[in-house]
Amino acid sequence: MPRVRIATGCHPHNAKHYDDALEAVLRERLADPRTAAVGEIGLDFHYDFSPRDDQRSAFRRQLRVAKECGLPVILHVREAHDEALAIMRDEGFPEAGTLLHCFNLDWDVLEPWVEAGCYVAFGGPLTFKKSDDTREAAARVPADRLLTETDAPYMTPEPLRGTVCGPEHVIFTAERLAEVRGCAPGEERAALLRRLLENARSLLDREPTAWQQQAARQFYADAFATLDGAVPAAADGQ
């Protein structure tokens, strides 16, 4: 069973709840060495479940936390790619990496993100009948920046669209990705799949950061200090 890794963050839908107390909880979660990224964070101007100013503020604050912790970010961006890119440029892209999650638009939108060195994950929309622009974009992403994903339980790929998406459905997306990149069945396609796995592992399956290691040491130091204070000293002769 592959090792499961965690991403944690305040989604733009919930940005109106982001405050100092929530950020303190976020930091606690990020200290877990299984946590590999801060996300999904970003901007969603389609649903606007949180006010846009709250989304912008939460996005910026979490970018700063991610850079402090030495972790990559996983971005959810919907109908806000230009503004999200401007914020990323203003705050600075995390050295640990940036993953643009479930991309489903065209190359004109994607190109500046790729030029900035971002990873790009393609999910079920890559297989949809009307997604020619997305497939053309996927064909142009450098091989060392490609990932696949499910976005489960949403975005189920063809031919199962309309059912609940699961991790096993990524095979349909990977197959379509290989086709649009001209990788024939056999060794050529196997090489692409190995590349996708290597990309995912290099970005997300990493050793604990220095910040996480320090946080773990502090956690145990505080825990033992609390334990020592709670246990009465043994009586003489006992």
Side-chain angles (χ1 to χ4, degrees):
M1 182 71 180
R3 183 168 59 182
V4 173
R5 303 304 300 267
I6 302 165
T8 185
C10 181
H11 194 282
H13 288 346
N14 301 312
K16 60 188 174 185
H17 303 298
Y18 196 91
D19 56 16
D20 291 345
L22 193 150
E23 184 168 299
V25 174
L26 173 63
R27 289 174 177 273
E28 291 179 2
R29 301 294 185 269
L30 296 178
D32 186 327
R34 296 172 299 174
T35 303
V38 179
E40 301 168 18
I41 64 174
L43 304 173
D44 191 314
F45 291 173
H46 176 78
Y47 287 109
D48 281 327
F49 287 155
S50 285
R52 293 185 179 185
D53 281 345
D54 289 344
Q55 293 188 49
R56 295 178 183 108
S57 176
F59 186 22
R60 287 183 180 274
R61 289 183 64 172
Q62 291 181 96
L63 285 172
R64 295 167 190 170
V65 170
K67 290 195 289 184
E68 178 187 347
C69 299
L71 292 169
V73 292
I74 299 175
L75 302 187
H76 171 102
V77 183
R78 190 165 185 184
E79 297 181 16
H81 282 80
D82 289 345
E83 184 162 347
L85 183 61
I87 289 174
M88 293 293 295
R89 287 170 170 166
D90 187 44
E91 293 290 336
F93 287 81
E95 291 185 8
T98 297
L99 173 61
L100 197 57
H101 146 76
C102 203
F103 187 79
N104 65 343
L105 299 175
D106 59 28
W107 178 248
D108 287 343
V109 175
L110 183 57
E111 185 176 17
W113 294 88
V114 172
E115 289 179 345
C118 297
Y119 291 82
V120 187
F122 291 93
L126 186 74
T127 71
F128 295 171
K129 293 180 176 64
K130 296 182 179 180
S131 294
D132 288 340
D133 287 348
T134 302
R135 285 187 281 273
E136 192 267 341
R140 300 176 68 170
V141 176
D144 64 351
R145 287 293 179 266
L146 275 173
L147 282 83
T148 53
E149 64 168 286
T150 61
D151 199 28
Y154 312 109
M155 301 291 187
T156 309
E158 299 284 359
L160 300 177
R161 192 174 182 184
T163 65
V164 176
C165 189
E168 67 275 15
H169 297 151
V170 74
I171 62 172
F172 300 108
T173 301
E175 180 183 36
R176 197 74 176 97
L177 182 61
E179 290 173 357
V180 302
R181 294 180 68 87
C183 297
E187 179 52 35
E188 190 175 9
R189 187 164 296 187
L192 174 65
L193 296 178
R194 288 194 296 268
R195 177 76 263 183
L196 296 174
L197 180 59
E198 290 169 7
N199 293 345
R201 284 179 169 168
S202 65
L203 179 65
L204 300 172
D205 188 19
R206 56 179 69 212
E207 295 299 316
T209 69
W211 183 90
Q212 287 175 317
Q213 294 175 25
Q214 176 58 36
R217 287 193 291 268
Q218 188 61 53
F219 171 82
Y220 285 111
D222 292 345
F224 282 115
T226 301
L227 181 62
D228 287 343
V231 178
D236 289 344
Q238 293 185 348

